[in-house]
Amino acid sequence: MIDKVNLDPVVDVQNISKDYSGKIAVSNLSMEIPAGICFGLLGPNGAGKSTTLKMVYGVTSPNSGDIRVFGRDVTKYTRETRSRLGVMLQEDVMTDALTPRQNLETFGRYHLITKLDLSKRVDWVINFMELNSHADVKVRNLSGGFKRRLAAAMAILNNPELLILDEPTTGLDPAVRHVLWSKIRQLKAEGKTVLLTTHYMDEAERLCDQVMIMANGESVIQGHPRELIKSELMPEVAEFDCSETEEMKILENIEEKSLALRSGDRLMVFMEDATRVLEAINQFDGGSRRPVYSRPANLEDVFLSVTGLRLGEGQ
Amino acid sequence: MSVSVRHVLSVWHRNASMYRRTWKLNLLPNFFEPVFYLTAIGIGVGAYISEIGGLSYVAFLAPGLVCVAAMNGASFEVTYNVYIRLAYEKTYSAVITTPVTPEDILFGEVLWAVTRATIYGGGFFIVASLFGLVPNMMAVLAIFVIPLTGLLFASIGITFSLHMPTIEFFSFYFTLFLTPLFLFSDVFFPISERLTGFWLNAAEVFPLLHPVRIVRSIFNGDWGLHLLWDLGYIVVVSAILLFWAQRTIKKRLSN
């Protein structure tokens, strides 16, 4: 006997488009998010990430295309869908005059959680998000990090199957980011599906099983972060400052296949073996050029190569 | 999407629990305002007025001030407070990520404004009765006009709030709309005795006039079909505005 496994994606987006009075926000976008994974929407500001999220939780409707969440059309079953998901917005939108505990109790009522369950549930999320020390301090007196923990606590209060996080760690210090990352990993380990947006590539590499890079409202590329790095770029990068004429001279004797990306004076050369470039630089000016270093290619490089090139094309 | 009573109540509950925390601060200024009018104008100025429609001036003033208390209670709630939640704190953006819909928010806010109007109007009614200004047992029926007054001004105020580009516009609402209503809606003098012809008919547009007229008629035992016009005005105007507001709040929160 084979166990019946539900293979339907938790979020199934097909060819959605959205414009705001003629200005295109999202264009012909598709994505499928299977249960239990963490899916990252990456892209520069204004790429359409937040609009896509809003359409997934049904606050905004697409002009065309289909969105199914938990197998059902979100524009028709909005209330039910939202009872099974939790959203952490980009901005902190809790009530300043209330404490985290009071904010959570209010939020629980919107989910129609009964009084007895609510106090248990509130205690649980306060504990889980490590908010205990500040649970009864007015929100207006909380630091940014504690506000974000509260925002996350509000998103998981209803024990959602799908967690939607819009730039969960933007503007936070590294310690708080690590706390939030570990919480997200724990929630994923419990079987929750996570959909997040970020413009931090390290965050995406750490958390996401699959990413989609967006630019100008379109999907540019989708896949597993490490596979994207492998398929899009050579494994190593040499990074250094040089002018365009110097670039030609340094790279003229390198026969190996390479890709060079330039941003101002900074040049990144992607190769199988980046030491070849370092040697070429040394030959060119006798080792006086600093800083020069080589490193493995990462998701940020993929991001820059796909969005950067597209931005270039558009200009 | 539709309106769900339980979700509407959850929005109402949020405001009620906020209010419970600060009611002493909130209640006092709003509550005393009509009491001051009653004493200063009713008893002070009233001493120079022999009688008006067979009543002492303070007795003439009481029914109108019941409605003014209700109007103020509802208006503060659906103007500044709603606008702050809509545009500054953005609480509504978080609320609509839950099963609560924009329509639930609208009706929850209106229901809460009606509740506050009832607290203020009811409080003033009690004060008026302590002053001996509620003439008979039948006059107690006027209490039912208080939430209706609240509904009317909650509907007007929230429709205004949803269309306001900036918070500064509320000073227009209060000084150019509510203040003239307060002064020219049968509260201080019977406009039917001061206006004639076209102007008398035009004054029917004034929303506060209608609840004031109903409460005064009940106080005077003047029951008649004319009350249906005033009642109809309140119900129809509230319904039209709420229908409009429902469409606006959906649009504002869905983008």
Side-chain angles (χ1 to χ4, degrees):
Chain A
M1 278 285 285
I2 300 166
D3 279 343
K4 250 190 165 177
V5 180
N6 188 3
L7 291 174
D8 286 341
V10 170
V11 177
D12 186 0
V13 171
Q14 298 299 333
N15 310 102
I16 54 164
S17 295
K18 174 76 183 174
D19 67 90
Y20 292 109
S21 46
K23 199 177 166 291
I24 290 167
V26 172
S27 169
N28 201 28
L29 187 97
S30 297
M31 62 182 184
E32 288 177 15
I33 307 177
I37 76 155
C38 179
F39 189 98
L41 281 179
L42 318 180
N45 293 328
K49 306 186 296 288
S50 294
T51 305
T52 305
L53 290 193
K54 280 185 187 169
M55 288 192 276
V56 170
Y57 62 84
V59 157
T60 298
S61 305
N63 298 118
S64 61
D66 282 321
I67 302 177
R68 291 181 165 268
V69 181
F70 308 119
R72 293 177 115 171
D73 183 346
V74 69
T75 58
K76 292 203 183 79
Y77 297 90
T78 317
R79 224 190 266 274
E80 298 163 33
T81 308
R82 282 199 206 131
S83 69
R84 295 169 65 184
L85 57 80
V87 182
M88 180 172 170
L89 297 171
Q90 222 175 90
E91 303 166 282
D92 293 320
V93 287
M94 47 285 286
T95 304
D96 270 359
L98 298 180
T99 66
R101 189 185 302 281
Q102 291 161 346
N103 267 288
L104 287 163
E105 283 164 356
T106 303
F107 221 63
R109 272 184 228 110
Y110 299 144
H111 285 288
L112 306 182
I113 303 174
T114 58
K115 214 172 173 182
L116 190 69
D117 290 339
L118 184 57
S119 71
K120 275 189 225 151
R121 191 65 200 162
V122 166
D123 285 340
W124 188 88
V125 292
I126 285 175
N127 211 26
F128 180 78
M129 288 313 302
E130 298 172 33
L131 268 164
N132 309 60
S133 58
H134 290 71
D136 300 305
V137 177
K138 284 201 169 130
V139 169
R140 70 164 69 96
N141 298 324
L142 292 182
S143 67
F146 274 107
K147 281 188 189 167
R148 287 269 85 186
R149 286 181 201 219
L150 174 56
M154 287 161 84
I156 59 174
L157 185 64
N158 59 325
N159 196 15
E161 297 157 62
L162 170 64
L163 205 51
I164 296 177
L165 313 169
D166 197 359
E167 294 187 17
T169 68
T170 298
L172 294 179
D173 67 56
V176 183
R177 297 182 75 199
H178 277 276
V179 171
L180 281 175
W181 288 338
S182 95
K183 299 302 172 192
I184 294 168
R185 269 190 230 105
Q186 277 183 57
L187 290 164
K188 208 189 89 178
E190 281 175 24
K192 299 193 190 307
T193 310
V194 181
L195 167 59
L196 62 83
T197 68
T198 182
H199 41 231
Y200 297 123
M201 297 304 128
D202 58 332
E203 181 162 286
E205 257 186 283
R206 275 163 208 266
L207 293 176
C208 298
D209 305 295
Q210 262 190 70
V211 296
M212 174 165 95
I213 297 177
M214 289 181 75
N216 305 322
E218 288 173 41
S219 161
V220 181
I221 198 167
Q222 288 192 47
H224 184 280
R226 226 159 293 141
E227 281 157 19
L228 282 183
I229 299 167
K230 228 187 208 167
S231 65
E232 289 301 304
L233 298 170
M234 251 73 72
E236 292 191 3
V237 195
E239 204 175 327
F240 54 99
D241 287 343
C242 72
S243 69
E244 283 180 41
T245 36
E246 288 172 324
E247 173 187 342
M248 295 227 304
K249 286 182 183 145
I250 293 169
L251 299 181
E252 74 184 348
N253 293 323
I254 294 177
E255 305 91 37
E256 194 187 321
K257 206 172 135 229
S258 67
L259 165 73
L261 283 179
R262 174 173 282 284
S263 156
D265 277 345
R266 169 73 21 144
L267 189 71
M268 290 185 282
V269 185
F270 296 83
M271 297 188 68
E272 273 308 325
D273 178 8
T275 49
R276 298 267 296 100
V277 182
L278 303 189
E279 282 161 16
I281 296 168
N282 274 335
Q283 274 167 24
F284 178 70
D285 52 15
S288 60
R289 188 174 298 267
R290 287 289 179 273
V292 173
Y293 58 93
S294 68
R295 57 171 176 79
N298 59 30
L299 195 58
E300 187 147 336
D301 299 322
V302 177
F303 181 84
L304 289 174
S305 77
V306 297
T307 59
L309 289 177
R310 288 179 65 88
L311 288 174
E313 277 168 18
Q315 278 160 3
Chain B
M1 272 199 285
S2 53
V3 179
S4 132
V5 176
R6 295 180 69 197
H7 290 104
V8 168
L9 288 176
S10 73
V11 175
W12 177 88
H13 197 298
R14 184 245 183 221
N15 292 340
S17 67
M18 289 285 289
Y19 185 71
R20 260 210 312 272
R21 281 173 235 286
T22 57
W23 69 273
K24 283 176 199 150
L25 285 174
N26 277 317
L27 189 64
L28 292 178
N30 286 300
F31 176 72
F32 275 109
E33 203 183 328
V35 175
F36 290 150
Y37 281 111
L38 191 72
T39 48
I41 312 284
I43 298 172
V45 178
Y48 302 91
I49 298 166
S50 51
E51 64 172 33
I52 185 163
L55 297 168
S56 70
Y57 190 57
V58 69
F60 175 83
L61 215 49
L65 289 178
V66 169
C67 299
V68 169
M71 171 177 91
N72 287 341
S75 298
F76 283 108
E77 196 57 48
V78 292
T79 51
Y80 287 107
N81 288 355
V82 161
Y83 197 80
I84 285 167
R85 293 196 273 274
L86 181 74
Y88 289 93
E89 283 194 340
K90 304 216 165 130
T91 357
Y92 297 151
S93 319
V95 177
I96 57 167
T97 68
T98 71
V100 175
T101 62
E103 294 94 319
D104 296 333
I105 294 176
L106 176 77
F107 290 108
E109 291 291 357
V110 168
L111 187 62
W112 169 245
V114 170
T115 309
R116 242 183 104 162
T118 308
I119 295 170
Y120 291 136
F124 182 78
F125 196 90
I126 292 167
V127 171
S129 68
L130 294 177
F131 275 79
L133 301 173
V134 179
N136 51 55
M137 280 311 285
M138 283 297 273
V140 174
L141 288 174
I143 283 179
F144 293 107
V145 185
I146 296 170
L148 283 173
T149 312
L151 174 69
L152 178 62
F153 284 95
S155 311
I156 297 169
I158 207 160
T159 308
F160 186 85
S161 300
L162 288 170
H163 289 92
M164 274 315 89
T166 65
I167 200 163
E168 284 77 19
F169 280 83
F170 288 119
S171 59
F172 290 109
Y173 187 77
F174 282 92
T175 54
L176 297 182
F177 180 63
L178 293 188
T179 304
L181 284 188
F182 172 57
L183 295 171
F184 302 105
S185 296
D186 264 7
V187 177
F188 293 102
F189 60 92
I191 59 162
S192 60
E193 293 178 13
R194 312 300 311 157
L195 296 176
T196 50
F198 170 78
W199 294 108
L200 188 59
N201 290 324
E204 291 294 313
V205 183
F206 280 17
L208 183 61
L209 185 63
H210 302 277
V212 170
R213 217 145 56 183
I214 300 176
V215 175
R216 175 156 295 131
S217 297
I218 295 175
F219 270 48
N220 296 343
D222 175 21
W223 298 87
L225 285 176
H226 61 93
L227 294 181
L228 285 180
W229 156 243
D230 295 313
L231 195 63
Y233 175 99
I234 296 173
V235 173
V236 172
V237 170
S238 302
I240 292 171
L241 289 175
L242 288 179
F243 179 74
W244 185 19
Q246 187 183 334
R247 295 176 52 152
T248 314
I249 198 169
K250 246 174 114 172
K251 240 185 266 168
R252 282 210 57 167
L253 293 180
S254 297
N255 271 314

